[in-house]
Amino acid sequence: MAALSHTPGAPAPGDTRTPLCALDALPPVGQARGFDPAKSGRDTVFALRRSDGIRVYRNHCPHQGVPLEYRKDRFLSGDGQRILCYAHGAHFEADTGLCTDGPCRGMSLASLPLVIEDGWLYLAVAPDSPLLR
Ligand code: FES
């Protein structure tokens, strides 16, 4: 195995990825965790585990562009199977981000590309990307 050129989870010079967290800091299936990778003072993305992997979405409802959660890390329905927007009650598929019920039915949350490396979850977008604001 090659030696690491930087500390896992720490931004590396010139890196176009954005570290989110160590994999073991992600909650189990049925829960989600918000992140503020742009240091904006609010969680602009959130991540959740599914049976086949991890999803990361922008915390931005396609209906009116507001954050989805009603309090820190509360993005999911009680059974953990759907993402909810607490502003007007839209329901989104956790696997795809597709809105299946509510005022933005047929629209989708923006899914963000991710990279898993050295036990860390990264977004495959630079920290200064507009996607993270
Ligand atoms: S802002 Fe999300 S459903 Fe209206």
Side-chain angles (χ1 to χ4, degrees), residues 24-102:
D24 60 9
L26 258 192
V29 173
Q31 299 176 36
R33 179 178 167 187
F35 296 91
D36 180 13
K39 311 293 186 232
S40 65
R42 64 180 185 88
D43 290 343
T44 57
V45 304
F46 63 101
L48 59 151
R49 293 183 190 271
R50 299 298 292 164
S51 60
D52 63 346
I54 296 169
R55 309 289 191 278
V56 182
Y57 296 104
R58 284 187 77 197
N59 184 12
H60 183 92
C61 181
H63 179 219
Q64 292 188 344
V66 303
L68 300 156
E69 80 277 35
Y70 72 94
R71 67 180 170 89
K72 176 72 179 156
D73 298 334
R74 296 305 176 113
F75 295 91
L76 303 183
S77 56
D79 63 4
Q81 296 303 305
R82 289 162 288 130
I83 299 163
L84 301 181
C85 177
Y86 287 92
H88 306 110
H91 292 213
F92 302 86
E93 292 180 350
D95 286 336
T96 67
L98 175 68
C99 180
T100 57
D101 193 17

